[in-house]
Amino acid sequence: MVDKNSPLPIYYQLEEEIKQLIKTEQLKPGELLPSEREYAEKHHISRMTVRQAINNLAAEGLLFRQKGKGTFVAEQKFEQNLQGLTSFSEDMRARGLKPSSRLVSFEEIVADEKLAANLAVEVGASIFKIERIRMADQAPLAVETIYTSKKIAGNMTRDDFAPSFYDYIESTLGFTIKHANQEIESALANEKEIEHLQLNPGDPVLLIERLTYLSNDEPFEYVKSAYRADKYKFKLQMPR
């Protein structure tokens, strides 16, 4: 309950109350919140104070509004720590979710200058291009395009790397994955991402480019991914 004698601002106390209800699943994703008037009457506070708390929680992505319908609890985002290199499958299993993929395409292509430079192969070399939808509990989270050289992947087929490409590289081929360089930026979803990720025009995505290396510092994977920005966030601890 809100304590008007507390040094903490009333709007902050209300935010923490709602956060706790979400954390303990007393308020579930998709559930309609009480109105501003109901909160104001319950705590004997102004609707402006309630509105400030609701706005702050919406800005954090915990709540969302629908015009004419009210304020709802948002689906909570998947949080990935950027301090360690894990595969999508490993990350989802660690959360108690079932990872899966839907293959969009698997083909051999010719490396252009950028792909050749990233994968340390000759321009014109044959490489694999793999496009797939990454899912958790059957919900689409990302569109992923993997480029890998034939000198690493060998005679890989479309069935070899399901469900985890990293598992295929390490367990089947016997390589050791060492580290990766990754870049992240925001963008609006394109037509392909809207279709595969069940988005609306104008929805945001997180674009990720990753170049991953083996233990001998040879690059084996160049990946371009688009993650649903409403479902995913990245966390980084930065010690001084």
Side-chain angles (χ1 to χ4, degrees):
M1 296 294 291
V2 169
D3 180 3
K4 294 184 178 180
N5 294 318
S6 171
L8 296 174
I10 293 174
Y11 72 84
Y12 176 80
Q13 294 183 55
L14 182 56
E15 287 178 39
E16 292 302 304
E17 175 186 312
I18 296 173
K19 283 182 180 179
Q20 185 62 24
L21 292 173
I22 293 173
K23 183 178 180 181
T24 58
E25 297 188 340
Q26 294 178 66
L27 283 173
K28 294 180 171 58
E31 187 171 339
L32 177 66
L33 260 67
S35 66
E36 291 180 1
R37 178 182 57 78
E38 289 173 298
Y39 273 123
E41 291 178 354
K42 174 184 176 182
H43 294 295
H44 304 289
I45 58 180
S46 72
R47 291 180 64 172
M48 185 177 296
T49 299
V50 175
R51 188 172 300 121
Q52 183 175 0
I54 298 298
N55 287 342
N56 290 345
L57 293 174
E60 288 185 41
L62 294 174
L63 304 176
F64 68 94
R65 287 191 172 92
Q66 286 189 353
K67 190 173 182 180
K69 294 184 178 180
T71 303
F72 298 82
V73 179
E75 292 281 350
Q76 299 311 294
K77 294 185 179 183
F78 296 95
E79 185 176 280
Q80 181 177 353
N81 195 316
L82 292 178
Q83 291 174 282
L85 178 59
T86 58
S87 71
F88 178 90
S89 297
E90 292 168 337
D91 189 32
M92 291 302 107
R93 289 194 192 101
R95 303 171 194 278
L97 303 172
K98 183 180 179 181
S100 60
S101 300
R102 179 165 60 82
L103 188 64
V104 177
S105 66
F106 175 84
E107 58 184 326
E108 287 188 37
I109 64 170
V110 173
D112 59 19
E113 289 187 5
K114 180 177 181 179
L115 292 173
N118 280 325
L119 295 174
V121 297
E122 298 286 337
V123 174
S126 181
I127 63 174
F128 290 111
K129 177 184 177 183
I130 305 157
E131 289 185 280
R132 55 186 181 170
I133 312 302
R134 307 311 307 270
M135 297 178 286
D137 287 349
Q138 298 302 312
L141 291 184
V143 178
E144 178 184 77
T145 304
I146 301 172
Y147 300 93
T148 189
S149 66
K150 292 194 71 176
K151 70 176 181 177
I152 298 293
N155 295 317
M156 181 175 65
T157 70
R158 62 192 298 128
D159 298 320
D160 284 331
F161 54 87
S164 172
F165 181 56
Y166 280 15
D167 185 61
Y168 173 72
I169 291 294
E170 294 190 306
S171 299
T172 303
L173 300 184
F175 293 109
T176 299
I177 299 171
K178 183 179 180 182
H179 70 280
N181 296 328
Q182 185 163 277
E183 296 181 0
I184 304 173
E185 64 178 320
S186 61
L188 298 180
N190 61 30
E191 289 186 9
K192 179 187 291 186
E193 292 153 4
I194 288 171
E195 177 187 356
H196 290 312
L197 298 179
Q198 300 172 9
L199 298 174
N200 297 310
D203 281 350
V205 291
L206 294 173
L207 299 180
I208 301 173
E209 288 193 25
R210 184 173 70 244
L211 187 58
T212 316
Y213 297 82
L214 300 174
S215 57
N216 62 357
D217 291 324
E218 183 176 6
F220 80 92
E221 169 198 59
Y222 172 59
V223 183
K224 299 177 71 174
S225 304
Y227 281 79
R228 287 188 58 149
D230 64 333
K231 297 285 189 180
Y232 229 82
K233 65 179 178 180
F234 294 88
K235 180 180 180 182
L236 177 64
Q237 186 179 22
M238 302 175 68
R240 179 164 178 161

PDB file of all heavy atoms in Angstrom, residues 138-153:
ATOM      1  N   GLN A 138       7.300 -22.221 -29.302  1.00  0.00           N
ATOM      2  CA  GLN A 138       6.577 -22.032 -30.566  1.00  0.00           C
ATOM      3  C   GLN A 138       6.288 -20.563 -30.900  1.00  0.00           C
ATOM      4  O   GLN A 138       5.640 -20.287 -31.916  1.00  0.00           O
ATOM      5  CB  GLN A 138       5.262 -22.831 -30.578  1.00  0.00           C
ATOM      6  CG  GLN A 138       5.454 -24.335 -30.452  1.00  0.00           C
ATOM      7  CD  GLN A 138       6.324 -24.909 -31.550  1.00  0.00           C
ATOM      8  OE1 GLN A 138       6.123 -24.628 -32.732  1.00  0.00           O
ATOM      9  NE2 GLN A 138       7.313 -25.715 -31.174  1.00  0.00           N
ATOM     10  N   ALA A 139       6.754 -19.622 -30.086  1.00  0.00           N
ATOM     11  CA  ALA A 139       6.556 -18.195 -30.385  1.00  0.00           C
ATOM     12  C   ALA A 139       7.779 -17.664 -31.129  1.00  0.00           C
ATOM     13  O   ALA A 139       8.912 -17.824 -30.662  1.00  0.00           O
ATOM     14  CB  ALA A 139       6.345 -17.408 -29.093  1.00  0.00           C
ATOM     15  N   PRO A 140       7.593 -17.035 -32.307  1.00  0.00           N
ATOM     16  CA  PRO A 140       8.745 -16.534 -33.064  1.00  0.00           C
ATOM     17  C   PRO A 140       9.405 -15.334 -32.382  1.00  0.00           C
ATOM     18  O   PRO A 140       8.731 -14.379 -32.002  1.00  0.00           O
ATOM     19  CB  PRO A 140       8.124 -16.134 -34.407  1.00  0.00           C
ATOM     20  CG  PRO A 140       6.695 -15.822 -34.088  1.00  0.00           C
ATOM     21  CD  PRO A 140       6.310 -16.751 -32.973  1.00  0.00           C
ATOM     22  N   LEU A 141      10.719 -15.414 -32.224  1.00  0.00           N
ATOM     23  CA  LEU A 141      11.469 -14.334 -31.572  1.00  0.00           C
ATOM     24  C   LEU A 141      12.448 -13.646 -32.511  1.00  0.00           C
ATOM     25  O   LEU A 141      12.744 -12.475 -32.341  1.00  0.00           O
ATOM     26  CB  LEU A 141      12.242 -14.866 -30.363  1.00  0.00           C
ATOM     27  CG  LEU A 141      11.454 -15.313 -29.144  1.00  0.00           C
ATOM     28  CD1 LEU A 141      12.417 -15.715 -28.034  1.00  0.00           C
ATOM     29  CD2 LEU A 141      10.529 -14.210 -28.656  1.00  0.00           C
ATOM     30  N   ALA A 142      12.978 -14.386 -33.490  1.00  0.00           N
ATOM     31  CA  ALA A 142      14.025 -13.794 -34.323  1.00  0.00           C
ATOM     32  C   ALA A 142      14.043 -14.429 -35.706  1.00  0.00           C
ATOM     33  O   ALA A 142      13.713 -15.597 -35.881  1.00  0.00           O
ATOM     34  CB  ALA A 142      15.392 -13.963 -33.662  1.00  0.00           C
ATOM     35  N   VAL A 143      14.452 -13.621 -36.678  1.00  0.00           N
ATOM     36  CA  VAL A 143      14.798 -14.104 -38.011  1.00  0.00           C
ATOM     37  C   VAL A 143      16.315 -14.103 -38.086  1.00  0.00           C
ATOM     38  O   VAL A 143      16.956 -13.088 -37.803  1.00  0.00           O
ATOM     39  CB  VAL A 143      14.224 -13.196 -39.119  1.00  0.00           C
ATOM     40  CG1 VAL A 143      14.643 -13.703 -40.490  1.00  0.00           C
ATOM     41  CG2 VAL A 143      12.713 -13.110 -39.022  1.00  0.00           C
ATOM     42  N   GLU A 144      16.906 -15.231 -38.449  1.00  0.00           N
ATOM     43  CA  GLU A 144      18.356 -15.388 -38.398  1.00  0.00           C
ATOM     44  C   GLU A 144      18.886 -15.871 -39.737  1.00  0.00           C
ATOM     45  O   GLU A 144      18.342 -16.786 -40.338  1.00  0.00           O
ATOM     46  CB  GLU A 144      18.699 -16.398 -37.301  1.00  0.00           C
ATOM     47  CG  GLU A 144      20.172 -16.719 -37.147  1.00  0.00           C
ATOM     48  CD  GLU A 144      20.392 -17.788 -36.103  1.00  0.00           C
ATOM     49  OE1 GLU A 144      20.143 -18.984 -36.410  1.00  0.00           O
ATOM     50  OE2 GLU A 144      20.789 -17.457 -34.978  1.00  0.00           O
ATOM     51  N   THR A 145      19.960 -15.242 -40.206  1.00  0.00           N
ATOM     52  CA  THR A 145      20.653 -15.676 -41.414  1.00  0.00           C
ATOM     53  C   THR A 145      22.096 -15.977 -41.061  1.00  0.00           C
ATOM     54  O   THR A 145      22.822 -15.095 -40.589  1.00  0.00           O
ATOM     55  CB  THR A 145      20.596 -14.619 -42.523  1.00  0.00           C
ATOM     56  OG1 THR A 145      19.230 -14.284 -42.803  1.00  0.00           O
ATOM     57  CG2 THR A 145      21.250 -15.138 -43.802  1.00  0.00           C
ATOM     58  N   ILE A 146      22.497 -17.238 -41.251  1.00  0.00           N
ATOM     59  CA  ILE A 146      23.853 -17.684 -40.944  1.00  0.00           C
ATOM     60  C   ILE A 146      24.622 -17.876 -42.244  1.00  0.00           C
ATOM     61  O   ILE A 146      24.123 -18.482 -43.194  1.00  0.00           O
ATOM     62  CB  ILE A 146      23.846 -19.022 -40.174  1.00  0.00           C
ATOM     63  CG1 ILE A 146      23.072 -18.894 -38.869  1.00  0.00           C
ATOM     64  CG2 ILE A 146      25.266 -19.521 -39.918  1.00  0.00           C
ATOM     65  CD1 ILE A 146      22.870 -20.227 -38.161  1.00  0.00           C
ATOM     66  N   TYR A 147      25.868 -17.376 -42.257  1.00  0.00           N
ATOM     67  CA  TYR A 147      26.792 -17.659 -43.355  1.00  0.00           C
ATOM     68  C   TYR A 147      27.985 -18.404 -42.756  1.00  0.00           C
ATOM     69  O   TYR A 147      28.560 -17.967 -41.753  1.00  0.00           O
ATOM     70  CB  TYR A 147      27.282 -16.367 -44.005  1.00  0.00           C
ATOM     71  CG  TYR A 147      26.175 -15.515 -44.588  1.00  0.00           C
ATOM     72  CD1 TYR A 147      25.588 -14.512 -43.828  1.00  0.00           C
ATOM     73  CD2 TYR A 147      25.732 -15.698 -45.903  1.00  0.00           C
ATOM     74  CE1 TYR A 147      24.567 -13.721 -44.355  1.00  0.00           C
ATOM     75  CE2 TYR A 147      24.727 -14.911 -46.436  1.00  0.00           C
ATOM     76  CZ  TYR A 147      24.146 -13.927 -45.655  1.00  0.00           C
ATOM     77  OH  TYR A 147      23.145 -13.147 -46.172  1.00  0.00           O
ATOM     78  N   THR A 148      28.346 -19.540 -43.332  1.00  0.00           N
ATOM     79  CA  THR A 148      29.487 -20.305 -42.839  1.00  0.00           C
ATOM     80  C   THR A 148      30.213 -20.935 -44.019  1.00  0.00           C
ATOM     81  O   THR A 148      29.593 -21.270 -45.039  1.00  0.00           O
ATOM     82  CB  THR A 148      29.045 -21.374 -41.823  1.00  0.00           C
ATOM     83  OG1 THR A 148      30.196 -21.964 -41.206  1.00  0.00           O
ATOM     84  CG2 THR A 148      28.216 -22.464 -42.485  1.00  0.00           C
ATOM     85  N   SER A 149      31.519 -21.071 -43.899  1.00  0.00           N
ATOM     86  CA  SER A 149      32.316 -21.569 -45.021  1.00  0.00           C
ATOM     87  C   SER A 149      32.288 -23.087 -45.098  1.00  0.00           C
ATOM     88  O   SER A 149      32.163 -23.779 -44.087  1.00  0.00           O
ATOM     89  CB  SER A 149      33.770 -21.096 -44.880  1.00  0.00           C
ATOM     90  OG  SER A 149      34.374 -21.681 -43.743  1.00  0.00           O
ATOM     91  N   LYS A 150      32.445 -23.609 -46.305  1.00  0.00           N
ATOM     92  CA  LYS A 150      32.446 -25.059 -46.497  1.00  0.00           C
ATOM     93  C   LYS A 150      33.709 -25.686 -45.917  1.00  0.00           C
ATOM     94  O   LYS A 150      33.700 -26.861 -45.532  1.00  0.00           O
ATOM     95  CB  LYS A 150      32.324 -25.397 -47.981  1.00  0.00           C
ATOM     96  CG  LYS A 150      30.964 -25.044 -48.581  1.00  0.00           C
ATOM     97  CD  LYS A 150      30.764 -25.695 -49.930  1.00  0.00           C
ATOM     98  CE  LYS A 150      30.572 -27.207 -49.805  1.00  0.00           C
ATOM     99  NZ  LYS A 150      30.273 -27.835 -51.115  1.00  0.00           N
ATOM    100  N   LYS A 151      34.782 -24.913 -45.815  1.00  0.00           N
ATOM    101  CA  LYS A 151      36.007 -25.497 -45.263  1.00  0.00           C
ATOM    102  C   LYS A 151      35.848 -25.806 -43.778  1.00  0.00           C
ATOM    103  O   LYS A 151      36.567 -26.648 -43.242  1.00  0.00           O
ATOM    104  CB  LYS A 151      37.194 -24.569 -45.495  1.00  0.00           C
ATOM    105  CG  LYS A 151      37.196 -23.281 -44.690  1.00  0.00           C
ATOM    106  CD  LYS A 151      38.478 -22.507 -44.944  1.00  0.00           C
ATOM    107  CE  LYS A 151      38.514 -21.224 -44.122  1.00  0.00           C
ATOM    108  NZ  LYS A 151      39.781 -20.484 -44.282  1.00  0.00           N
ATOM    109  N   ILE A 152      34.894 -25.131 -43.106  1.00  0.00           N
ATOM    110  CA  ILE A 152      34.594 -25.429 -41.699  1.00  0.00           C
ATOM    111  C   ILE A 152      33.446 -26.432 -41.615  1.00  0.00           C
ATOM    112  O   ILE A 152      33.529 -27.448 -40.925  1.00  0.00           O
ATOM    113  CB  ILE A 152      34.219 -24.152 -40.930  1.00  0.00           C
ATOM    114  CG1 ILE A 152      35.388 -23.156 -40.931  1.00  0.00           C
ATOM    115  CG2 ILE A 152      33.780 -24.490 -39.509  1.00  0.00           C
ATOM    116  CD1 ILE A 152      36.592 -23.623 -40.154  1.00  0.00           C
ATOM    117  N   ALA A 153      32.362 -26.150 -42.306  1.00  0.00           N
ATOM    118  CA  ALA A 153      31.136 -26.961 -42.179  1.00  0.00           C
ATOM    119  C   ALA A 153      31.170 -28.232 -43.010  1.00  0.00           C
ATOM    120  O   ALA A 153      30.334 -29.120 -42.810  1.00  0.00           O
ATOM    121  CB  ALA A 153      29.921 -26.122 -42.555  1.00  0.00           C
TER     122      ALA A 153
END
